[in-house]
Amino acid sequence: MESLELFLTTVNKWLWGRWLVFVLLALGILYTFTNGFIQIRHFKFIIKKTLVDSYKARNEDKGSGSISTFKAMMVTLAGNVGGGNVVGVATAVAVGGMGAVFWMWVAAFFGMALKYGEIVLSQLYRGKDSEGNLLSGPMYYIRDGLKAPWLGIIIAILMCIKMMGANLVQSNTISGVLNSNYNVPTWLTGIVLICCLMTIILGGLKRLANIATSLVPIMSVFYIIVGLLVILLNIQQVPTVIAEIFTQAFSLKAVAGGTGGYVIARAMQYGITRGMYSNEAGEGTAPFAHGSAIVEHPCEEGITGVTEVFLDTIIICSITAIVIGVTGIYQSDLSPAVMAIESFGTVWEPLKHLATFALLLFCFTTLMGQWFNAAKSFTYAFGPKVTDKVKFVFPFLCIIGALTKISLVWTIQDVAMGLVIIPNLIALLILFPQVRKQTKDYFSNLKFYPEVKK
């Protein structure tokens, strides 16, 4: 096991410590510029369209096997808002310092445009099964957009592996929190997770969408309120924390015998990787649910990517980071698995339990979304008949995740995420002119964008 961890750590350093971080950022910058800084110029319109208007039409499924835009966003957020928003942020701060938070924000800003592009492409390229249900995912715009069916199969297989790694992260987080705070045996947590996930899986996409639509808004608002309460009670520490975020983000100080620039490099690596892991911009996961929505224009669905990254990283991840900062808990020797939860309890013990409840909901809804993406990927690679026979294997990974060491779990996830991103980045790089064309068409049409200047 130690040899495996050493090998995976080496691969992880090669992927994330040397080049992939900068490629992701560069592609996010490309999509930001070529789409006219959509996340700034049209932010007000996007929030109204995706949160207010789509909520009103949340039950309007417009075709067989399709779901509404709001439900697609909730399914995607169910897969995004999870342990990465709490434990992932705590890990980034613990290893990369408070400066990692700044780079997490940078990743989120450019990630908004990147995720927007992924979703637009998912609307342009998708398929149908034998029953007429919509099929979507990065495999389809790689197959049809790049004309590379072989690469579509590769990313489908890599996506399955990535989702398995993500399962380990979420189940490990849940078992770690319950064991540390309530002495619940890790094996018992794994078994309960298997049973709960099986119940969801038997209901398919519709059940998943309905549960996500009910749980995601409630748990997100609940976590935000509790987090803001902790911050308000430590309001005098906020200026210091904000100052640390910016100063440490650009610090050239050497740490523990490291060389000059080590602090900034480590802050960048952990801030961007944890930020990207949380909002999944550039990973190709958003197209699975959003490609199943029927809208009048691809960009009408694409703009939900801006909202998702904003809510996931700029709001929820930032609250976790600032709570950890103002309470000073990040300077302790606590494990990242419990660091964020303990920080809530520093102001009032019951808040610790409320935050634990929110984290458990986050992680479980993420497991739901990950199963959906894994099943879609497996179907593309091996066909529906094989998927029907093996799709119930996914929940049983929860017992492995619940019993595995946390550092190994995160390393596996980082490696899997890095590998699956590579073919998706190739597609996004080559197909960006199509996204740009759709963006110009959407925001110059009064039918879709009433604020067009005459």
Side-chain angles (χ1 to χ4, degrees), residues 149-273:
W150 61 272
L151 189 57
I153 294 175
I154 289 176
I155 195 175
I157 295 173
L158 290 174
M159 188 67 74
C160 290
I161 297 172
K162 186 264 179 188
M163 289 302 157
M164 292 176 183
N167 178 307
L168 299 180
V169 168
Q170 303 304 325
S171 53
N172 184 274
T173 299
I174 294 173
S175 66
V177 169
L178 289 177
N179 182 258
S180 299
N181 292 291
Y182 308 106
N183 295 317
V184 177
T186 52
W187 62 266
L188 178 60
T189 300
I191 292 174
V192 172
L193 286 176
I194 291 171
C195 296
C196 292
L197 199 53
M198 279 290 192
T199 303
I200 305 299
I201 289 175
L202 291 171
L205 174 59
K206 294 291 185 180
R207 179 180 294 179
L208 173 62
N210 291 332
I211 292 176
T213 302
S214 300
L215 283 181
V216 172
I218 295 173
M219 70 180 188
S220 299
V221 171
F222 175 73
Y223 186 80
I224 290 169
I225 291 174
V226 174
L228 288 176
L229 177 60
V230 175
I231 293 170
L232 287 173
L233 292 173
N234 291 274
I235 194 69
Q236 70 278 3
Q237 298 298 324
V238 172
T240 302
V241 170
I242 298 298
E244 286 185 358
I245 289 173
F246 285 94
T247 55
Q248 291 185 21
F250 300 97
S251 174
L252 296 178
K253 178 182 177 183
V255 174
T259 58
Y262 184 68
V263 172
I264 183 174
R266 190 165 61 174
M268 285 182 69
Q269 178 186 351
Y270 281 89
I272 293 174
T273 53

Side-chain angles (χ1 to χ4, degrees), residues 253-405:
K253 178 182 177 183
V255 174
T259 58
Y262 184 68
V263 172
I264 183 174
R266 190 165 61 174
M268 285 182 69
Q269 178 186 351
Y270 281 89
I272 293 174
T273 53
R274 292 296 177 259
M276 287 295 188
Y277 168 71
S278 177
N279 60 54
E280 299 188 356
E283 289 184 35
T285 52
F288 286 103
H290 285 290
S292 297
I294 297 177
V295 292
E296 294 186 78
H297 195 286
C299 295
E300 186 177 340
E301 192 69 21
I303 58 177
T304 59
V306 175
T307 303
E308 287 171 8
V309 176
F310 177 76
L311 293 176
D312 178 275
T313 308
I314 301 297
I315 300 297
I316 298 177
C317 286
S318 295
I319 284 178
T320 299
I322 295 174
V323 165
I324 291 172
V326 297
T327 57
I329 206 78
Y330 72 99
Q331 297 174 330
S332 68
D333 295 327
L334 289 173
S335 163
V338 298
M339 184 184 291
I341 298 301
E342 290 294 335
S343 66
F344 283 91
T346 58
V347 294
W348 188 40
E349 186 66 21
L351 286 183
K352 170 183 172 181
H353 305 297
L354 292 175
T356 300
F357 176 70
L359 174 59
L360 296 179
L361 280 179
F362 283 165
C363 293
F364 183 69
T365 54
T366 299
L367 283 172
M368 290 164 37
Q370 288 162 348
W371 166 80
F372 173 71
N373 295 343
K376 289 287 186 179
S377 301
F378 205 89
T379 299
Y380 184 91
F382 304 106
K385 292 183 179 180
V386 178
T387 302
D388 288 340
K389 295 178 180 178
V390 303
K391 67 182 181 181
F392 299 109
V393 172
F394 184 82
F396 286 92
L397 293 173
C398 292
I399 192 70
I400 299 175
L403 298 173
T404 308
K405 193 170 79 171

Side-chain angles (χ1 to χ4, degrees), residues 93-109:
V93 172
V95 182
M98 290 303 296
V101 179
F102 172 83
W103 294 108
M104 184 179 72
W105 291 338
V106 171
F109 177 77

